Amino acid sequence: MLRYIHKQRKNKKGYTLKVEPGGKVSVITNTRYSKVDADKIVVKNMDWILFAKKKQILKHKENEEKLANLKITRSKINISKEIAYNYLKNRSNFFARKLQVDSLLNEISIKDYRTKWGTCDSKGNLTFNWRLLLLPKQLSDYIIIHELCHLRHLNHSKRFWNFVSEYCEQYKEYRKILGNDYHLLMTLE
């Protein structure tokens, strides 16, 4: 039997099969599903799982090549995790003063997000992905500015984007670059 992780969620309807970048397989079900039920799901979907695992392995190899082209090394990754908090806190405080939102800023924290660069909540807390340190400075600065602008506008309204553009005129270009070239940084451990 193929090794997999069975995760149960109270409000889940049906089931979800996931094959993650490293090839790890997860079966996510409602709490009513037993381990035996999860085993049956895996057996029933074995062809798809094997196909998805092969696809993830190929994708992983492609990503490693792309990272090499972006000049991202393992030592740079380890250093980035260590210095992320201090660097991002200093840059955030610098831009918060510049944007005149420093009085709205509460706490700054660093997380290991897999799908986003940063967040801002209604209490004024900013959370950044440590991978920001792997980006060119203008891109990480854009993300910091973007999250700080949420202190004034906690949405993506026209007023929000106008505020962003006051401090980062090239934000549209940077959004495109992040989506096209740097999304694969999210796969790094």
Side-chain angles (χ1 to χ4, degrees):
M1 173 61 86
L2 180 77
R3 293 184 67 189
Y4 69 91
I5 296 168
H6 182 207
K7 299 176 185 176
Q8 295 179 307
R9 302 286 185 265
K10 198 176 193 178
N11 297 324
K12 178 81 179 145
K13 293 180 183 178
Y15 65 86
T16 302
L17 274 173
K18 263 186 175 178
V19 178
E20 295 180 23
K24 184 170 77 174
V25 178
S26 300
V27 180
I28 305 154
T29 67
N30 185 288
T31 52
R32 293 178 309 214
Y33 284 72
S34 67
K35 175 80 168 118
V36 173
D37 294 327
D39 285 344
K40 288 178 185 175
I41 291 167
V42 169
V43 169
K44 178 182 164 189
N45 293 283
M46 188 62 76
D47 289 343
W48 179 86
I49 291 170
L50 294 174
F51 173 76
K53 283 183 74 114
K54 281 182 189 174
K55 198 172 165 183
Q56 287 291 8
I57 290 167
L58 289 173
K59 193 175 184 179
H60 179 73
K61 286 179 184 174
E62 286 175 18
N63 286 349
E64 288 294 322
E65 289 171 15
K66 288 178 183 174
L67 289 172
N69 291 340
L70 294 172
K71 297 179 177 49
I72 305 294
T73 63
R74 287 284 159 204
S75 61
K76 192 171 182 181
I77 291 166
N78 294 335
I79 291 167
S80 293
K81 285 181 177 182
E82 290 175 25
I83 62 172
Y85 177 74
N86 288 331
Y87 175 79
L88 293 170
K89 185 174 182 175
N90 290 337
R91 290 303 283 168
S92 296
N93 286 326
F94 168 78
F95 283 115
R97 286 188 296 278
K98 194 171 179 177
L99 277 68
Q100 299 176 351
V101 294
D102 48 327
S103 63
L104 303 173
L105 181 59
N106 188 19
E107 289 185 21
I108 296 169
S109 58
I110 305 300
K111 285 200 178 172
D112 188 19
Y113 287 132
R114 291 298 184 165
T115 58
K116 53 191 161 194
W117 295 108
T119 63
C120 175
D121 68 23
S122 59
K123 295 176 184 163
N125 299 314
L126 299 184
T127 306
F128 292 107
N129 190 328
W130 66 266
R131 292 169 183 83
L132 258 64
L133 266 67
L134 301 174
L135 296 174
K137 191 171 183 236
Q138 70 270 22
L139 295 178
S140 62
D141 283 351
Y142 156 67
I143 292 163
I144 293 167
I145 290 167
H146 178 112
E147 296 308 330
L148 287 166
C149 287
H150 280 307
L151 294 173
R152 181 111 356 115
H153 304 284
L154 200 53
N155 55 42
H156 288 109
S157 65
K158 187 162 178 59
R159 288 172 43 206
F160 167 80
W161 290 113
N162 287 340
F163 190 39
V164 171
S165 70
E166 286 179 43
Y167 297 94
C168 185
E169 291 176 7
Q170 307 93 330
Y171 80 88
K172 289 180 183 176
E173 178 189 337
Y174 293 161
R175 288 183 73 200
K176 245 184 238 178
I177 292 169
L178 285 165
N180 293 337
D181 300 338
Y182 289 94
H183 66 280
L184 64 99
L185 292 180
M186 298 300 183
T187 64
L188 297 175
E189 297 291 327

